Amino acid sequence: MVLPQEFTAYTRALMGNELYEKLLAALEGEPPVSLRLNPFKTKNGETEVCNADEGVAWTDYGYYLSGRPNFTFDPLFHAGTYYVQEASSMFVAWIVKQLVHSPITMLDLCAAPGGKSTALRSVLPQGSLLFCNEPITQRASILAENVQKFGHPDMVVSSNFAADYRKSGLQFDAILADVPCSGEGMFRKDAGAIAEWSETNVEHCWRLQREIIADIWPCLKPGGLLIYSTCTFNDKENERNVEWIAQEFDADFDLPPIPSAWNITGSIGSDIPACRFIPGISKGEGLFLCVLRKRYEHGMVHDERKKRSSKSMTTKVSLPEMPQWLNADLAFDTRQINGNIHAIPCQWTSLLDKASATLRIVHAGVALATPKGKDLVPHPALAHSIALNSSAFCKCELDYASAIAFLRRETITLHADTPRGYVLVTHQGMPLGFVKNIGNRANNLYPQEWRIKSTHIPQPQQIIKLK
């Protein structure tokens, strides 16, 4: 691995020779592979992770694997039963679990592709609502897909900049700002991160990070938590920026005690309480994290600028007969988002309506159906929701080859006695999506943008076993 000379000189001076040499040796090796189970679709003791070396210490759901399987060709991956995530990134959920003990509203400000969002939703107390935001449209679509496959109804996906949230008037009990950075911590995983690195980009990033925090700070309630993180090593984007946040906004540090056995390094060149994951020291990629709490006496008044209309504003809809596609013990109201009917937990409808007045909402609650004439076509994401009433549909279990064909959006053959209409297809009992059985064939309703694009003929992948 050839690193930029400027990076080498700066990082060696920052870390010192001993720590830098450990980092350099680790960067020459293979990155560890890890995944995190979805606790809403799997159960401890009833799920076996194949080829697992060990568990990730800071989460009940994370596992290191002995190699890297072809996740693309595992139907259970597409069913949202687990998420492929590097281990350091799972740590943010441990932090939240230590500090949050009652229902909250939280914002993951820079959320794509969704690993930290789904990890957070795994540990937030029941009754919490998580907004997941990504300003770049294409990345927001990927975020929405991963959130929908995760399947929890108390999540919202938006596509806005921090300044838009400031104008919205929304406030949150906690905000994760995993801010855009120079990506030094990803050098081992992504050769492109090395090619894109420059001192100029570092300068650009630390300034942008301050702008983002300044814009989002009014959205944090007094007493609320700001979790600031990056995946880079330099102190300009890390310690120096966190010191600026604490001074500029008169915030307090609130990092819980970290077990020493986890080999997580503290701050470098500063006495602030912070966490650094450094390859060669801790088992994962590079990550910096610090927690700040907004003081009550310094709560800032919201910026009451004129609110903008949103082209994707959600609208309330009335259905002639609400399909019994959701669990009967859950209370939902309906909204139309981007032409689709979404079921929104009743406790969140007023907050969603306020958000949609200024923000671009991509997904919320449960994507229920798409109107087609007088018909309602079940939305593909409904199959993945933990709120799905699966007994409302005829089900067809697919073998491995048929499941891969379905996920490629190819035509599949159903059992001869399968009733006509919408059919929920499953693999190992886990829903994958819907087909419409019209007798002589079954129309595949899997989304074009979600399909497996590779034409490779795979060997069956068994990455987890559902007992």
Side-chain angles (χ1 to χ4, degrees):
M1 179 181 293
V2 180
L3 299 174
Q5 291 183 354
E6 296 88 349
F7 168 81
T8 297
Y10 185 95
T11 310
R12 186 185 292 276
L14 174 67
M15 293 184 173
N17 285 330
E18 182 179 356
L19 183 56
Y20 180 76
E21 288 299 327
K22 290 181 179 180
L23 168 64
L24 190 61
L27 293 182
E28 294 291 345
E30 289 295 319
V33 179
S34 51
L35 62 79
R36 178 175 42 79
L37 296 177
N38 182 343
F40 303 107
K41 296 186 178 184
T42 62
K43 295 181 180 179
N44 284 334
E46 297 182 12
T47 306
E48 177 186 350
V49 179
C50 305
N51 300 318
D53 275 349
E54 60 180 306
V56 177
W58 40 89
T59 174
D60 294 334
Y61 314 123
Y63 297 86
Y64 295 103
L65 305 184
S66 57
R68 187 173 188 88
N70 196 333
F71 297 107
T72 298
F73 291 106
D74 180 13
L76 294 184
F77 168 68
H78 297 275
T81 56
Y82 65 89
Y83 189 96
V84 182
Q85 183 179 29
E86 72 89 14
S88 301
S89 295
M90 302 179 195
F91 183 71
V92 66
W94 183 86
I95 289 289
V96 168
K97 191 174 181 179
Q98 307 313 301
L99 298 174
V100 176
H101 306 290
S102 57
I104 64 169
T105 54
M106 184 170 184
L107 169 64
D108 184 354
L109 181 62
C110 312
K116 292 185 179 68
S117 291
T118 52
L120 287 170
R121 184 61 267 185
S122 296
V123 299
L124 284 174
Q126 185 176 355
S128 299
L129 179 65
L130 178 62
F131 276 69
C132 317
N133 179 70
E134 170 54 48
I136 308 303
T137 300
Q138 184 176 8
R139 287 172 54 82
S141 296
I142 296 170
L143 172 63
E145 176 185 346
N146 286 325
V147 166
Q148 288 171 344
K149 288 181 175 178
F150 184 73
H152 200 290
D154 293 331
M155 301 180 78
V156 175
V157 177
S158 63
S159 183
N160 293 91
F161 291 97
D164 300 322
Y165 264 90
R166 178 172 184 156
K167 295 173 185 176
S168 73
L170 295 177
Q171 279 195 311
F172 298 91
D173 301 292
I175 296 174
L176 168 62
D178 185 40
V179 289
C181 69
S182 56
E184 297 164 356
M186 293 293 107
F187 280 0
R188 181 166 58 173
K189 284 186 65 177
D190 182 7
I194 300 175
E196 293 172 4
W197 187 91
S198 69
E199 291 181 301
T200 300
N201 192 36
V202 171
E203 291 295 314
H204 168 74
C205 285
W206 75 258
R207 296 178 190 277
L208 174 62
Q209 291 154 2
R210 293 190 182 190
E211 291 175 9
I212 290 172
I213 298 302
D215 279 334
I216 206 62
W217 190 258
C219 296
L220 185 62
K221 293 179 182 178
L225 295 169
L226 175 73
I227 303 171
Y228 177 93
S229 66
T230 75
C231 60
T232 204
F233 297 127
N234 70 79
D235 61 342
K236 292 181 179 179
E237 299 177 66
N238 294 330
E239 285 87 354
R240 302 291 84 80
N241 265 356
V242 168
E243 290 169 343
W244 174 83
I245 295 169
Q247 181 176 8
E248 181 74 10
F249 301 110
D250 204 14
D252 297 313
F253 295 104
D254 196 6
L255 186 72
I258 311 297
S260 59
W262 293 354
N263 296 320
I264 298 172
T265 306
S267 58
I268 296 178
S270 172
D271 59 359
I272 65 169
C275 295
R276 277 180 173 268
F277 287 73
I278 299 176
I281 305 297
S282 47
K283 194 173 180 179
E285 302 310 304
L287 178 79
F288 172 89
L289 184 145
C290 188
V291 183
L292 300 103
R293 190 177 291 274
K294 188 173 188 177
R295 292 183 179 175
Y296 283 95
E297 63 266 30
H298 293 284
M300 297 175 67
V301 178
H302 275 305
D303 187 353
E304 293 293 341
R305 300 176 191 176
K306 186 176 180 180
K307 293 180 173 61
R308 299 175 297 155
S309 296
S310 171
K311 293 182 180 179
S312 60
M313 180 184 295
T314 62
T315 55
K316 187 171 183 177
V317 292
S318 298
L319 301 180
E321 292 185 14
M322 179 69 177
Q324 300 302 308
W325 293 348
L326 301 176
N327 293 330
D329 57 343
L330 300 174
F332 292 92
D333 201 352
T334 53
R335 294 292 186 274
Q336 190 169 58
I337 303 175
N338 300 324
N340 298 309
I341 307 299
H342 286 243
I344 311 299
C346 288
Q347 68 188 106
W348 305 125
T349 51
S350 60
L351 181 57
L352 179 66
D353 290 342
K354 180 180 180 181
S356 66
T358 53
L359 301 178
R360 178 175 175 257
I361 304 299
V362 179
H363 164 76
V366 182
L368 184 67
T370 302
K372 190 174 182 180
K374 296 182 179 180
D375 195 12
L376 287 177
V377 180
H379 194 282
L382 173 63
H384 299 281
S385 177
I386 61 173
L388 169 69
N389 174 20
S390 61
S391 63
F393 297 93
C394 172
K395 292 189 283 292
C396 182
E397 174 73 8
L398 303 181
D399 61 18
Y400 179 79
S402 296
I404 293 298
F406 173 78
L407 294 168
R408 281 175 164 155
R409 212 168 182 272
E410 297 171 356
T411 300
I412 60 172
T413 302
L414 303 180
H415 302 148
D417 58 352
T418 304
R420 295 193 180 200
Y422 296 112
V423 177
L424 179 68
V425 296
T426 63
H427 179 68
Q428 296 187 41
M430 295 299 302
L432 298 178
F434 295 100
V435 298
K436 186 174 184 180
N437 185 22
I438 58 176
N440 59 335
R441 70 177 189 277
N443 292 336
N444 192 330
L445 302 182
Y446 199 68
Q448 183 75 20
E449 61 273 20
W450 291 6
R451 68 183 177 89
I452 296 174
K453 299 176 178 62
S454 172
T455 58
H456 170 66
I457 306 299
Q459 294 294 319
Q461 301 290 313
Q462 190 159 50
I463 296 165
I464 68 171
K465 293 180 182 178
L466 304 177
K467 299 178 182 179

